Amino acid sequence: MKTVREALQWGAARLQHASTTPRLDAEVLLADVLGVSRAGLIARLHDTLARDAFKAFQGRIARRERGEPVAYIVGRKAFYGRDFLVDARVLIPRPETELLVERALARLADVPAPRIADIGTGSGCIAVTLAAERPDAHLIATDVSEGALAVARANAERHGVADRVDFRRGSLLEPLDAPVHLIVANLPYVGTDEMEILAPDVATYEPHVALFAGPDGLALIRDLLAQVSPAVLLPGGALLLEIGYAQGEAVARLVRERWPHAQVVLHRDLAGLDRVVEISDLWLTAEA
Ligand SMILES: C[S@@+](CC[C@H](N)C(=O)[O-])C[C@H]1O[C@@H](n2cnc3c(N)ncnc32)[C@H](O)[C@@H]1O
């Protein structure tokens, strides 16, 4: 029989070569088995672990050792202070996407009852967070994947916002039937050319429909921009798009080719990399 401390040491050692954060992973996996928080786990370091619990822990460690992300093993991931259900049907929410949420909240601070579209909602982390942070907002959340929409709906229920998030299946802006104040999108932006430089865990376990967008990664952003018109975006409305760190200039060029006077602002993430592009003032020109 092992104590919690010994089990953690065993688990971290097993993950030494499979993870860059072996101790943290072992803690999260064991806390999940015991149904406690990580802090709760640390408070029990000297407790003896029941045989069944250790067996369950061994199973989770084996999955992690094979490369499966921790979030899929425990079925949850924290995003903007809330817990989101995740499984293999959706991309695991990333911390850098919180920047997009922050910019959306800042942009809409003075807009009462905003209508927001979240394109490629995946787990629903962006749409559900915006609905929870702005109780007067109405969201339309779209995805091409029915599986992703099922997960996103469950997250909307979980966070009590299902009555204000309208989930629609369809590609890009096609499901929008009325103009909104803000379009947010974290669409796939990895180039198929870059497949081999992705972390192996990502390419093996996360849905490819959530990752890749043509050879340069810009295929979906290009198509989305081509669909923007007054039929989907209100005057004074804006777009916030998450992008790859090297795509800022290319996206700015795409925008200016169509709307020469548009405002394009690149926002950097905590690592100092271009991560979100904010596009506004599109309709100052005649070609809207
Ligand atoms: C990078 S994931 C982002 C998921 C979630 N918004 C997030 O930030 O974690 C992209 C999502 O876009 C969806 N998607 C891919 N192609 C799409 C398209 N043409 N129209 C709408 N959604 C699409 C994928 O199914 C996936 O759920």
Side-chain angles (χ1 to χ4, degrees):
M1 297 272 260
K2 285 188 190 308
T3 63
V4 166
R5 179 196 291 277
E6 287 163 349
L8 285 175
Q9 280 164 351
W10 171 85
R14 282 280 299 270
L15 297 180
Q16 209 58 49
H17 302 294
S19 169
T20 52
T21 51
R23 171 74 188 199
L24 174 66
D25 292 6
E27 287 179 8
V28 173
L29 294 173
L30 189 52
D32 182 55
V33 167
L34 298 177
V36 297
S37 65
R38 264 178 70 218
L41 183 77
I42 302 308
R44 295 183 181 199
L45 283 180
H46 301 291
D47 288 7
T48 302
L49 204 54
R51 204 174 298 279
D52 282 357
F54 186 61
K55 222 170 159 199
F57 181 52
Q58 282 177 305
R60 284 165 175 70
I61 289 286
R63 286 170 68 182
R64 182 70 193 113
E65 227 181 337
R66 287 194 291 271
E68 190 170 347
V70 170
Y72 287 153
I73 301 174
V74 302
R76 292 185 314 277
K77 176 76 183 177
F79 181 81
Y80 213 85
R82 292 179 184 83
D83 234 19
F84 283 82
L85 303 171
V86 294
D87 64 28
R89 294 173 291 180
V90 297
L91 188 93
I92 298 165
R94 304 295 204 266
E96 53 268 30
T97 303
E98 294 181 345
L99 173 64
L100 189 141
V101 169
E102 274 167 24
R103 296 313 315 168
L105 292 172
R107 174 108 219 155
L108 296 170
D110 298 327
V111 180
R115 285 175 51 83
I116 309 166
D118 174 25
I119 308 301
T121 197
S123 63
C125 60
I126 300 172
V128 169
T129 302
L130 290 175
E133 296 288 326
R134 280 294 303 259
D136 60 339
H138 184 90
L139 274 290
I140 298 149
T142 77
D143 209 290
V144 284
S145 158
E146 194 53 65
L149 288 171
V151 175
R153 275 192 200 97
N155 279 316
E157 295 285 348
R158 185 179 173 89
H159 293 295
V161 298
D163 57 332
R164 285 184 295 110
V165 187
D166 187 0
F167 292 100
R168 298 185 190 170
R169 186 171 183 191
S171 184
L172 301 175
L173 304 182
E174 284 166 15
L176 302 190
D177 51 14
V180 297
H181 294 94
L182 182 67
I183 295 171
V184 295
N186 175 18
L187 285 164
Y189 55 72
V190 182
T192 43
D193 291 350
E194 301 167 285
M195 196 177 300
E196 60 286 347
I197 59 165
L198 268 192
D201 294 7
V202 175
T204 307
Y205 285 94
E206 302 205 59
H208 284 196
V209 67
L211 294 171
F212 299 108
D216 65 354
L218 289 172
L220 286 168
I221 290 178
R222 212 177 269 122
D223 289 354
L224 177 134
L225 289 173
Q227 292 179 9
V228 173
S229 77
V232 293
L233 195 64
L234 288 162
L239 290 106
L240 281 165
L241 309 178
E242 182 166 326
I243 55 168
Y245 69 91
Q247 293 173 337
E249 288 312 317
V251 173
R253 249 194 324 274
L254 286 173
V255 172
R256 294 225 171 84
E257 275 167 17
R258 171 131 178 243
W259 302 286
H261 304 290
Q263 260 237 307
V264 181
V265 180
L266 295 174
H267 297 286
R268 295 197 168 150
D269 63 20
L270 292 174
L273 302 171
D274 285 347
R275 187 58 63 195
V276 169
V277 55
E278 183 165 359
I279 305 163
S280 57
D281 297 336
L282 299 177
W283 318 135
L284 292 179
T285 52
E287 76 277 20

PDB file of all heavy atoms in Angstrom, residues 199-236:
ATOM      1  N   ALA A 199       3.413  19.581 -31.546  1.00  0.00           N
ATOM      2  CA  ALA A 199       3.700  18.587 -30.504  1.00  0.00           C
ATOM      3  C   ALA A 199       2.960  17.297 -30.862  1.00  0.00           C
ATOM      4  O   ALA A 199       1.790  17.356 -31.251  1.00  0.00           O
ATOM      5  CB  ALA A 199       3.243  19.124 -29.160  1.00  0.00           C
ATOM      6  N   PRO A 200       3.614  16.137 -30.758  1.00  0.00           N
ATOM      7  CA  PRO A 200       2.976  14.883 -31.181  1.00  0.00           C
ATOM      8  C   PRO A 200       1.638  14.626 -30.475  1.00  0.00           C
ATOM      9  O   PRO A 200       0.697  14.131 -31.090  1.00  0.00           O
ATOM     10  CB  PRO A 200       3.998  13.801 -30.809  1.00  0.00           C
ATOM     11  CG  PRO A 200       5.257  14.502 -30.462  1.00  0.00           C
ATOM     12  CD  PRO A 200       4.978  15.954 -30.280  1.00  0.00           C
ATOM     13  N   ASP A 201       1.525  15.007 -29.201  1.00  0.00           N
ATOM     14  CA  ASP A 201       0.259  14.798 -28.467  1.00  0.00           C
ATOM     15  C   ASP A 201      -0.889  15.526 -29.155  1.00  0.00           C
ATOM     16  O   ASP A 201      -2.019  15.028 -29.202  1.00  0.00           O
ATOM     17  CB  ASP A 201       0.325  15.393 -27.049  1.00  0.00           C
ATOM     18  CG  ASP A 201       1.327  14.687 -26.173  1.00  0.00           C
ATOM     19  OD1 ASP A 201       2.059  13.831 -26.678  1.00  0.00           O
ATOM     20  OD2 ASP A 201       1.368  15.027 -24.972  1.00  0.00           O
ATOM     21  N   VAL A 202      -0.601  16.731 -29.653  1.00  0.00           N
ATOM     22  CA  VAL A 202      -1.647  17.552 -30.266  1.00  0.00           C
ATOM     23  C   VAL A 202      -2.131  16.882 -31.546  1.00  0.00           C
ATOM     24  O   VAL A 202      -3.326  16.628 -31.728  1.00  0.00           O
ATOM     25  CB  VAL A 202      -1.106  18.978 -30.561  1.00  0.00           C
ATOM     26  CG1 VAL A 202      -2.141  19.802 -31.311  1.00  0.00           C
ATOM     27  CG2 VAL A 202      -0.694  19.673 -29.271  1.00  0.00           C
ATOM     28  N   ALA A 203      -1.202  16.556 -32.441  1.00  0.00           N
ATOM     29  CA  ALA A 203      -1.588  15.999 -33.741  1.00  0.00           C
ATOM     30  C   ALA A 203      -2.233  14.625 -33.597  1.00  0.00           C
ATOM     31  O   ALA A 203      -3.096  14.245 -34.377  1.00  0.00           O
ATOM     32  CB  ALA A 203      -0.366  15.930 -34.653  1.00  0.00           C
ATOM     33  N   THR A 204      -1.823  13.859 -32.570  1.00  0.00           N
ATOM     34  CA  THR A 204      -2.370  12.505 -32.408  1.00  0.00           C
ATOM     35  C   THR A 204      -3.751  12.528 -31.779  1.00  0.00           C
ATOM     36  O   THR A 204      -4.629  11.767 -32.161  1.00  0.00           O
ATOM     37  CB  THR A 204      -1.436  11.660 -31.506  1.00  0.00           C
ATOM     38  OG1 THR A 204      -0.123  11.741 -32.043  1.00  0.00           O
ATOM     39  CG2 THR A 204      -1.877  10.202 -31.451  1.00  0.00           C
ATOM     40  N   TYR A 205      -3.960  13.401 -30.796  1.00  0.00           N
ATOM     41  CA  TYR A 205      -5.186  13.297 -29.992  1.00  0.00           C
ATOM     42  C   TYR A 205      -6.246  14.348 -30.308  1.00  0.00           C
ATOM     43  O   TYR A 205      -7.421  14.114 -30.075  1.00  0.00           O
ATOM     44  CB  TYR A 205      -4.837  13.358 -28.500  1.00  0.00           C
ATOM     45  CG  TYR A 205      -4.220  12.058 -28.021  1.00  0.00           C
ATOM     46  CD1 TYR A 205      -2.842  11.892 -27.982  1.00  0.00           C
ATOM     47  CD2 TYR A 205      -5.019  10.987 -27.647  1.00  0.00           C
ATOM     48  CE1 TYR A 205      -2.284  10.687 -27.564  1.00  0.00           C
ATOM     49  CE2 TYR A 205      -4.471   9.789 -27.228  1.00  0.00           C
ATOM     50  CZ  TYR A 205      -3.105   9.645 -27.188  1.00  0.00           C
ATOM     51  OH  TYR A 205      -2.566   8.457 -26.791  1.00  0.00           O
ATOM     52  N   GLU A 206      -5.840  15.539 -30.778  1.00  0.00           N
ATOM     53  CA  GLU A 206      -6.862  16.587 -30.948  1.00  0.00           C
ATOM     54  C   GLU A 206      -7.448  16.499 -32.364  1.00  0.00           C
ATOM     55  O   GLU A 206      -6.773  16.081 -33.308  1.00  0.00           O
ATOM     56  CB  GLU A 206      -6.255  17.956 -30.633  1.00  0.00           C
ATOM     57  CG  GLU A 206      -5.702  17.971 -29.200  1.00  0.00           C
ATOM     58  CD  GLU A 206      -5.627  19.331 -28.558  1.00  0.00           C
ATOM     59  OE1 GLU A 206      -6.663  19.988 -28.431  1.00  0.00           O
ATOM     60  OE2 GLU A 206      -4.522  19.721 -28.162  1.00  0.00           O
ATOM     61  N   PRO A 207      -8.734  16.895 -32.521  1.00  0.00           N
ATOM     62  CA  PRO A 207      -9.387  16.715 -33.820  1.00  0.00           C
ATOM     63  C   PRO A 207      -8.707  17.548 -34.915  1.00  0.00           C
ATOM     64  O   PRO A 207      -8.486  18.746 -34.729  1.00  0.00           O
ATOM     65  CB  PRO A 207     -10.819  17.203 -33.571  1.00  0.00           C
ATOM     66  CG  PRO A 207     -10.863  17.776 -32.209  1.00  0.00           C
ATOM     67  CD  PRO A 207      -9.604  17.483 -31.497  1.00  0.00           C
ATOM     68  N   HIS A 208      -8.391  16.923 -36.036  1.00  0.00           N
ATOM     69  CA  HIS A 208      -7.707  17.655 -37.107  1.00  0.00           C
ATOM     70  C   HIS A 208      -8.582  18.759 -37.686  1.00  0.00           C
ATOM     71  O   HIS A 208      -8.073  19.781 -38.129  1.00  0.00           O
ATOM     72  CB  HIS A 208      -7.216  16.685 -38.175  1.00  0.00           C
ATOM     73  CG  HIS A 208      -5.997  15.936 -37.731  1.00  0.00           C
ATOM     74  ND1 HIS A 208      -5.173  15.254 -38.571  1.00  0.00           N
ATOM     75  CD2 HIS A 208      -5.449  15.777 -36.486  1.00  0.00           C
ATOM     76  CE1 HIS A 208      -4.169  14.708 -37.883  1.00  0.00           C
ATOM     77  NE2 HIS A 208      -4.333  15.004 -36.610  1.00  0.00           N
ATOM     78  N   VAL A 209      -9.916  18.576 -37.620  1.00  0.00           N
ATOM     79  CA  VAL A 209     -10.823  19.627 -38.120  1.00  0.00           C
ATOM     80  C   VAL A 209     -10.724  20.891 -37.252  1.00  0.00           C
ATOM     81  O   VAL A 209     -11.110  21.982 -37.668  1.00  0.00           O
ATOM     82  CB  VAL A 209     -12.287  19.115 -38.203  1.00  0.00           C
ATOM     83  CG1 VAL A 209     -12.848  18.831 -36.815  1.00  0.00           C
ATOM     84  CG2 VAL A 209     -13.188  20.083 -38.939  1.00  0.00           C
ATOM     85  N   ALA A 210     -10.171  20.745 -36.055  1.00  0.00           N
ATOM     86  CA  ALA A 210     -10.005  21.897 -35.155  1.00  0.00           C
ATOM     87  C   ALA A 210      -8.623  22.525 -35.292  1.00  0.00           C
ATOM     88  O   ALA A 210      -8.348  23.564 -34.686  1.00  0.00           O
ATOM     89  CB  ALA A 210     -10.225  21.467 -33.704  1.00  0.00           C
ATOM     90  N   LEU A 211      -7.749  21.911 -36.054  1.00  0.00           N
ATOM     91  CA  LEU A 211      -6.356  22.374 -36.096  1.00  0.00           C
ATOM     92  C   LEU A 211      -5.948  22.972 -37.441  1.00  0.00           C
ATOM     93  O   LEU A 211      -5.376  24.061 -37.496  1.00  0.00           O
ATOM     94  CB  LEU A 211      -5.409  21.194 -35.799  1.00  0.00           C
ATOM     95  CG  LEU A 211      -5.458  20.596 -34.397  1.00  0.00           C
ATOM     96  CD1 LEU A 211      -4.621  19.319 -34.347  1.00  0.00           C
ATOM     97  CD2 LEU A 211      -4.932  21.603 -33.374  1.00  0.00           C
ATOM     98  N   PHE A 212      -6.231  22.249 -38.517  1.00  0.00           N
ATOM     99  CA  PHE A 212      -5.585  22.572 -39.787  1.00  0.00           C
ATOM    100  C   PHE A 212      -6.484  23.365 -40.734  1.00  0.00           C
ATOM    101  O   PHE A 212      -7.686  23.150 -40.798  1.00  0.00           O
ATOM    102  CB  PHE A 212      -5.129  21.275 -40.476  1.00  0.00           C
ATOM    103  CG  PHE A 212      -4.126  20.529 -39.645  1.00  0.00           C
ATOM    104  CD1 PHE A 212      -4.475  19.353 -38.998  1.00  0.00           C
ATOM    105  CD2 PHE A 212      -2.838  21.031 -39.472  1.00  0.00           C
ATOM    106  CE1 PHE A 212      -3.549  18.670 -38.216  1.00  0.00           C
ATOM    107  CE2 PHE A 212      -1.909  20.353 -38.687  1.00  0.00           C
ATOM    108  CZ  PHE A 212      -2.267  19.175 -38.050  1.00  0.00           C
ATOM    109  N   ALA A 213      -5.836  24.288 -41.467  1.00  0.00           N
ATOM    110  CA  ALA A 213      -6.574  25.120 -42.417  1.00  0.00           C
ATOM    111  C   ALA A 213      -5.706  25.386 -43.650  1.00  0.00           C
ATOM    112  O   ALA A 213      -5.128  26.467 -43.794  1.00  0.00           O
ATOM    113  CB  ALA A 213      -7.002  26.433 -41.753  1.00  0.00           C
ATOM    114  N   GLY A 214      -5.582  24.394 -44.485  1.00  0.00           N
ATOM    115  CA  GLY A 214      -4.838  24.567 -45.740  1.00  0.00           C
ATOM    116  C   GLY A 214      -3.340  24.652 -45.507  1.00  0.00           C
ATOM    117  O   GLY A 214      -2.884  24.676 -44.368  1.00  0.00           O
ATOM    118  N   PRO A 215      -2.554  24.733 -46.590  1.00  0.00           N
ATOM    119  CA  PRO A 215      -1.099  24.686 -46.480  1.00  0.00           C
ATOM    120  C   PRO A 215      -0.523  25.785 -45.578  1.00  0.00           C
ATOM    121  O   PRO A 215       0.372  25.527 -44.770  1.00  0.00           O
ATOM    122  CB  PRO A 215      -0.615  24.865 -47.924  1.00  0.00           C
ATOM    123  CG  PRO A 215      -1.774  24.479 -48.776  1.00  0.00           C
ATOM    124  CD  PRO A 215      -3.016  24.751 -47.987  1.00  0.00           C
ATOM    125  N   ASP A 216      -1.060  27.029 -45.682  1.00  0.00           N
ATOM    126  CA  ASP A 216      -0.490  28.131 -44.880  1.00  0.00           C
ATOM    127  C   ASP A 216      -1.289  28.402 -43.605  1.00  0.00           C
ATOM    128  O   ASP A 216      -0.967  29.322 -42.860  1.00  0.00           O
ATOM    129  CB  ASP A 216      -0.388  29.410 -45.723  1.00  0.00           C
ATOM    130  CG  ASP A 216      -1.762  29.941 -46.147  1.00  0.00           C
ATOM    131  OD1 ASP A 216      -2.790  29.260 -45.889  1.00  0.00           O
ATOM    132  OD2 ASP A 216      -1.815  31.034 -46.743  1.00  0.00           O
ATOM    133  N   GLY A 217      -2.321  27.636 -43.346  1.00  0.00           N
ATOM    134  CA  GLY A 217      -3.113  27.813 -42.122  1.00  0.00           C
ATOM    135  C   GLY A 217      -4.136  28.940 -42.211  1.00  0.00           C
ATOM    136  O   GLY A 217      -4.899  29.171 -41.280  1.00  0.00           O
ATOM    137  N   LEU A 218      -4.161  29.653 -43.350  1.00  0.00           N
ATOM    138  CA  LEU A 218      -5.048  30.829 -43.438  1.00  0.00           C
ATOM    139  C   LEU A 218      -6.315  30.584 -44.251  1.00  0.00           C
ATOM    140  O   LEU A 218      -7.118  31.499 -44.429  1.00  0.00           O
ATOM    141  CB  LEU A 218      -4.275  32.006 -44.049  1.00  0.00           C
ATOM    142  CG  LEU A 218      -3.204  32.607 -43.127  1.00  0.00           C
ATOM    143  CD1 LEU A 218      -2.350  33.624 -43.874  1.00  0.00           C
ATOM    144  CD2 LEU A 218      -3.866  33.258 -41.908  1.00  0.00           C
ATOM    145  N   ALA A 219      -6.514  29.344 -44.699  1.00  0.00           N
ATOM    146  CA  ALA A 219      -7.632  29.075 -45.616  1.00  0.00           C
ATOM    147  C   ALA A 219      -8.979  29.491 -45.009  1.00  0.00           C
ATOM    148  O   ALA A 219      -9.804  30.128 -45.676  1.00  0.00           O
ATOM    149  CB  ALA A 219      -7.655  27.601 -45.993  1.00  0.00           C
ATOM    150  N   LEU A 220      -9.202  29.157 -43.739  1.00  0.00           N
ATOM    151  CA  LEU A 220     -10.519  29.447 -43.157  1.00  0.00           C
ATOM    152  C   LEU A 220     -10.674  30.926 -42.813  1.00  0.00           C
ATOM    153  O   LEU A 220     -11.759  31.493 -42.962  1.00  0.00           O
ATOM    154  CB  LEU A 220     -10.755  28.568 -41.928  1.00  0.00           C
ATOM    155  CG  LEU A 220     -11.052  27.110 -42.280  1.00  0.00           C
ATOM    156  CD1 LEU A 220     -10.980  26.221 -41.051  1.00  0.00           C
ATOM    157  CD2 LEU A 220     -12.427  26.985 -42.935  1.00  0.00           C
ATOM    158  N   ILE A 221      -9.592  31.556 -42.372  1.00  0.00           N
ATOM    159  CA  ILE A 221      -9.668  32.996 -42.074  1.00  0.00           C
ATOM    160  C   ILE A 221      -9.931  33.770 -43.366  1.00  0.00           C
ATOM    161  O   ILE A 221     -10.759  34.692 -43.403  1.00  0.00           O
ATOM    162  CB  ILE A 221      -8.380  33.462 -41.360  1.00  0.00           C
ATOM    163  CG1 ILE A 221      -8.368  32.869 -39.942  1.00  0.00           C
ATOM    164  CG2 ILE A 221      -8.267  34.986 -41.338  1.00  0.00           C
ATOM    165  CD1 ILE A 221      -7.150  33.180 -39.111  1.00  0.00           C
ATOM    166  N   ARG A 222      -9.257  33.360 -44.447  1.00  0.00           N
ATOM    167  CA  ARG A 222      -9.484  33.989 -45.762  1.00  0.00           C
ATOM    168  C   ARG A 222     -10.958  33.841 -46.166  1.00  0.00           C
ATOM    169  O   ARG A 222     -11.610  34.820 -46.544  1.00  0.00           O
ATOM    170  CB  ARG A 222      -8.593  33.259 -46.775  1.00  0.00           C
ATOM    171  CG  ARG A 222      -8.099  34.115 -47.896  1.00  0.00           C
ATOM    172  CD  ARG A 222      -7.161  33.310 -48.807  1.00  0.00           C
ATOM    173  NE  ARG A 222      -5.778  33.397 -48.413  1.00  0.00           N
ATOM    174  CZ  ARG A 222      -4.984  32.348 -48.102  1.00  0.00           C
ATOM    175  NH1 ARG A 222      -5.443  31.107 -48.133  1.00  0.00           N
ATOM    176  NH2 ARG A 222      -3.739  32.534 -47.764  1.00  0.00           N
ATOM    177  N   ASP A 223     -11.500  32.628 -46.026  1.00  0.00           N
ATOM    178  CA  ASP A 223     -12.898  32.382 -46.419  1.00  0.00           C
ATOM    179  C   ASP A 223     -13.862  33.154 -45.523  1.00  0.00           C
ATOM    180  O   ASP A 223     -14.875  33.679 -45.988  1.00  0.00           O
ATOM    181  CB  ASP A 223     -13.229  30.886 -46.338  1.00  0.00           C
ATOM    182  CG  ASP A 223     -12.526  30.096 -47.440  1.00  0.00           C
ATOM    183  OD1 ASP A 223     -11.893  30.723 -48.318  1.00  0.00           O
ATOM    184  OD2 ASP A 223     -12.589  28.849 -47.396  1.00  0.00           O
ATOM    185  N   LEU A 224     -13.541  33.210 -44.240  1.00  0.00           N
ATOM    186  CA  LEU A 224     -14.423  33.948 -43.322  1.00  0.00           C
ATOM    187  C   LEU A 224     -14.455  35.431 -43.706  1.00  0.00           C
ATOM    188  O   LEU A 224     -15.531  36.030 -43.809  1.00  0.00           O
ATOM    189  CB  LEU A 224     -13.944  33.790 -41.872  1.00  0.00           C
ATOM    190  CG  LEU A 224     -14.764  34.576 -40.849  1.00  0.00           C
ATOM    191  CD1 LEU A 224     -15.104  33.707 -39.645  1.00  0.00           C
ATOM    192  CD2 LEU A 224     -14.041  35.823 -40.358  1.00  0.00           C
ATOM    193  N   LEU A 225     -13.276  36.014 -43.949  1.00  0.00           N
ATOM    194  CA  LEU A 225     -13.238  37.439 -44.312  1.00  0.00           C
ATOM    195  C   LEU A 225     -14.039  37.687 -45.587  1.00  0.00           C
ATOM    196  O   LEU A 225     -14.732  38.701 -45.708  1.00  0.00           O
ATOM    197  CB  LEU A 225     -11.790  37.910 -44.489  1.00  0.00           C
ATOM    198  CG  LEU A 225     -10.978  38.006 -43.190  1.00  0.00           C
ATOM    199  CD1 LEU A 225      -9.512  38.316 -43.490  1.00  0.00           C
ATOM    200  CD2 LEU A 225     -11.564  39.053 -42.239  1.00  0.00           C
ATOM    201  N   ALA A 226     -13.989  36.732 -46.504  1.00  0.00           N
ATOM    202  CA  ALA A 226     -14.718  36.892 -47.767  1.00  0.00           C
ATOM    203  C   ALA A 226     -16.229  36.892 -47.539  1.00  0.00           C
ATOM    204  O   ALA A 226     -16.985  37.409 -48.357  1.00  0.00           O
ATOM    205  CB  ALA A 226     -14.323  35.781 -48.734  1.00  0.00           C
ATOM    206  N   GLN A 227     -16.673  36.323 -46.422  1.00  0.00           N
ATOM    207  CA  GLN A 227     -18.124  36.252 -46.151  1.00  0.00           C
ATOM    208  C   GLN A 227     -18.637  37.433 -45.318  1.00  0.00           C
ATOM    209  O   GLN A 227     -19.830  37.531 -45.057  1.00  0.00           O
ATOM    210  CB  GLN A 227     -18.451  34.948 -45.422  1.00  0.00           C
ATOM    211  CG  GLN A 227     -18.256  33.703 -46.282  1.00  0.00           C
ATOM    212  CD  GLN A 227     -18.569  32.415 -45.520  1.00  0.00           C
ATOM    213  OE1 GLN A 227     -19.080  32.437 -44.406  1.00  0.00           O
ATOM    214  NE2 GLN A 227     -18.255  31.285 -46.127  1.00  0.00           N
ATOM    215  N   VAL A 228     -17.712  38.312 -44.869  1.00  0.00           N
ATOM    216  CA  VAL A 228     -18.151  39.428 -44.011  1.00  0.00           C
ATOM    217  C   VAL A 228     -18.859  40.486 -44.859  1.00  0.00           C
ATOM    218  O   VAL A 228     -18.341  40.900 -45.894  1.00  0.00           O
ATOM    219  CB  VAL A 228     -16.944  40.053 -43.277  1.00  0.00           C
ATOM    220  CG1 VAL A 228     -17.369  41.308 -42.522  1.00  0.00           C
ATOM    221  CG2 VAL A 228     -16.329  39.045 -42.322  1.00  0.00           C
ATOM    222  N   SER A 229     -20.042  40.885 -44.411  1.00  0.00           N
ATOM    223  CA  SER A 229     -20.816  41.913 -45.125  1.00  0.00           C
ATOM    224  C   SER A 229     -21.776  42.534 -44.121  1.00  0.00           C
ATOM    225  O   SER A 229     -21.930  42.020 -43.000  1.00  0.00           O
ATOM    226  CB  SER A 229     -21.615  41.256 -46.262  1.00  0.00           C
ATOM    227  OG  SER A 229     -22.750  40.611 -45.696  1.00  0.00           O
ATOM    228  N   PRO A 230     -22.457  43.624 -44.516  1.00  0.00           N
ATOM    229  CA  PRO A 230     -23.435  44.225 -43.589  1.00  0.00           C
ATOM    230  C   PRO A 230     -24.567  43.262 -43.223  1.00  0.00           C
ATOM    231  O   PRO A 230     -25.287  43.497 -42.262  1.00  0.00           O
ATOM    232  CB  PRO A 230     -23.963  45.428 -44.370  1.00  0.00           C
ATOM    233  CG  PRO A 230     -22.884  45.756 -45.345  1.00  0.00           C
ATOM    234  CD  PRO A 230     -22.283  44.437 -45.742  1.00  0.00           C
ATOM    235  N   ALA A 231     -24.717  42.184 -43.962  1.00  0.00           N
ATOM    236  CA  ALA A 231     -25.766  41.214 -43.614  1.00  0.00           C
ATOM    237  C   ALA A 231     -25.425  40.456 -42.331  1.00  0.00           C
ATOM    238  O   ALA A 231     -26.315  39.909 -41.680  1.00  0.00           O
ATOM    239  CB  ALA A 231     -25.955  40.222 -44.762  1.00  0.00           C
ATOM    240  N   VAL A 232     -24.143  40.423 -41.965  1.00  0.00           N
ATOM    241  CA  VAL A 232     -23.746  39.671 -40.763  1.00  0.00           C
ATOM    242  C   VAL A 232     -23.101  40.542 -39.688  1.00  0.00           C
ATOM    243  O   VAL A 232     -22.973  40.114 -38.537  1.00  0.00           O
ATOM    244  CB  VAL A 232     -22.791  38.494 -41.115  1.00  0.00           C
ATOM    245  CG1 VAL A 232     -23.516  37.434 -41.918  1.00  0.00           C
ATOM    246  CG2 VAL A 232     -21.547  38.977 -41.835  1.00  0.00           C
ATOM    247  N   LEU A 233     -22.660  41.756 -40.063  1.00  0.00           N
ATOM    248  CA  LEU A 233     -21.986  42.629 -39.086  1.00  0.00           C
ATOM    249  C   LEU A 233     -22.635  44.008 -39.079  1.00  0.00           C
ATOM    250  O   LEU A 233     -22.771  44.640 -40.138  1.00  0.00           O
ATOM    251  CB  LEU A 233     -20.493  42.739 -39.449  1.00  0.00           C
ATOM    252  CG  LEU A 233     -19.594  43.303 -38.378  1.00  0.00           C
ATOM    253  CD1 LEU A 233     -19.561  42.398 -37.141  1.00  0.00           C
ATOM    254  CD2 LEU A 233     -18.165  43.483 -38.919  1.00  0.00           C
ATOM    255  N   LEU A 234     -23.028  44.471 -37.891  1.00  0.00           N
ATOM    256  CA  LEU A 234     -23.687  45.774 -37.767  1.00  0.00           C
ATOM    257  C   LEU A 234     -22.696  46.914 -38.054  1.00  0.00           C
ATOM    258  O   LEU A 234     -21.481  46.732 -37.863  1.00  0.00           O
ATOM    259  CB  LEU A 234     -24.221  45.929 -36.341  1.00  0.00           C
ATOM    260  CG  LEU A 234     -25.437  45.075 -35.990  1.00  0.00           C
ATOM    261  CD1 LEU A 234     -25.607  44.970 -34.474  1.00  0.00           C
ATOM    262  CD2 LEU A 234     -26.686  45.670 -36.635  1.00  0.00           C
ATOM    263  N   PRO A 235     -23.197  48.082 -38.448  1.00  0.00           N
ATOM    264  CA  PRO A 235     -22.294  49.226 -38.606  1.00  0.00           C
ATOM    265  C   PRO A 235     -21.595  49.469 -37.263  1.00  0.00           C
ATOM    266  O   PRO A 235     -22.235  49.401 -36.206  1.00  0.00           O
ATOM    267  CB  PRO A 235     -23.228  50.394 -38.940  1.00  0.00           C
ATOM    268  CG  PRO A 235     -24.523  49.780 -39.357  1.00  0.00           C
ATOM    269  CD  PRO A 235     -24.602  48.427 -38.717  1.00  0.00           C
ATOM    270  N   GLY A 236     -20.299  49.712 -37.298  1.00  0.00           N
ATOM    271  CA  GLY A 236     -19.559  49.888 -36.037  1.00  0.00           C
ATOM    272  C   GLY A 236     -19.159  48.564 -35.413  1.00  0.00           C
ATOM    273  O   GLY A 236     -18.502  48.531 -34.377  1.00  0.00           O
TER     274      GLY A 236
END
